[in-house]
Amino acid sequence: MVREQIPISTRTLQWKCVEFRADSKRLSYGRFILSPLLKGQADTIGIAMRRALLGEIEGTCITRAKSENIPHEYSTIVGIQESVHEILMNLKEIVLRSNLYGTHDASICVKGPGYVTAQDIVLPPFVEIVDNTQYIANLTEPIHLHIELKLERNRGYHIKTPNNFQDGSYPIDAVFMPVRNTNYSIHSYGNGNEKQEILFLEIWTNGSLTPKEALNEASRNLIHLFIPFLHAEDLHLENNKHKESLPLFTFHDRLDKIRKNKKEIALKYIFIDQLELTPRTYNCLKKYNIHTLFDLLNKSKEDLMQIEDLRIEDVKKLFDILEIEKH
C-alpha cells in the first residue's frame, strides 16, 4: 500500500494519487484527489468521471464458446466435473488485457485428467491473461477437451439472448468494463466566498488496467466527447424573431484563439487508439511516444521510416490518415 500526504494548494489545480494497492491480480484500488476547486465544481467533475469510468472505457472479453457434441447449455459431459453452463460461467470471469479491436479467435485444447485453468487458453498475439490461475474446469478422466472461443473488445455490459446461438456455439454474458466500481466524495474548506473543495475519487479495477490508467483513459474519452463544442463557430438564440448571439464561454479571447487553431487542437485530442491500425503499427507508434495525431503530424516520413518494425506500407497508410483528418 502506498500513502502520501494530501497537499492543499491555493493556486494551481492539481491531481494526485494518494493511495494505491493491488489486493489481487484481479483487483486493484486507487484513491485520487483533485484540488482546489470552486464550490460545486467537485460534484460536476465527480459525476462526469464516475459515468465515464463505468461506461466509456473498453475492455476485452470472451463472448462465445463452441465445443462439439454438446446438445444444450445445461448438459453434462462424461469425464468433466462441471456442467457446460458452469464452464461458461467460469469463462465469463477470465480477465484479459488487450489493444485489439474486432473479433478474434482463441481456443482450449487439453487432455485429462487434471484441472483446466486460464493458462490453457491459446490466445492471439497482443492478448494477455491477467490471472493464469483462474479456474475453468476439472477433467476427472483421460478425455480430450476442445473449446473454440471468440474474443471481442467493446464497452459496457452485453447480455446474451436466447436467439443468439449459432452453429452449436454458446454466447457468454460479457462484462467489458475494466472498472468494477468507483466512488467520489467531497471535502470543503475555507469560509464564505473563499470556500473551496477537494474531490476524492476511488477506483477499483479488474487488473486489466490500473486505476491510474483507467482515470487517464476515462478523461481522454470525456475530452473527445466535448471536442465538437470547441469547434462550434456560432450559436444563435431566436427570441421575438430577433437573433442574438449566445456566447459559449465567458473567456471570449481564448475562444478566438481556439477558432484560429481548431484543426491543431482537434489533432491533439485524437488518439491513435481511435484509429483502425494494426496491432503492430499501434505498438510501434506507442513505443516511440506517438500518442495522438498531432504527435504523428510532427514526424516526417524519414522519422517514421526509422521506427523499428514499421513497414513502408504502414507509413503510407499513416500519411493517408493524416490527409483525411486535416481536411
Side-chain angles (χ1 to χ4, degrees), residues 73-99:
E73 179 181 349
Y74 296 97
S75 61
T76 58
I77 303 174
V78 176
I80 301 180
Q81 179 175 307
E82 289 76 17
S83 67
V84 174
H85 176 74
E86 290 172 323
I87 293 175
L88 294 176
M89 292 299 99
N90 291 336
L91 289 172
K92 173 184 174 181
E93 298 299 321
I94 301 295
V95 180
L96 302 172
R97 181 189 294 113
S98 168
N99 288 322

Side-chain angles (χ1 to χ4, degrees), residues 94-111:
I94 301 295
V95 180
L96 302 172
R97 181 189 294 113
S98 168
N99 288 322
L100 294 180
Y101 286 87
T103 303
H104 299 270
D105 295 326
S107 64
I108 299 174
C109 191
V110 295
K111 181 181 179 181

Side-chain angles (χ1 to χ4, degrees), residues 64 73-74 159-166 169-171 173:
R64 188 172 290 274
E73 179 181 349
Y74 296 97
I159 302 176
K160 64 182 179 182
T161 55
N163 59 351
N164 201 16
F165 295 82
Q166 303 172 0
S169 64
Y170 297 89
D173 291 342

Side-chain angles (χ1 to χ4, degrees), residues 122-135:
V122 180
L123 295 167
F126 307 108
V127 180
E128 301 176 24
I129 296 175
V130 172
D131 185 1
N132 284 325
T133 65
Q134 282 185 263
Y135 180 82

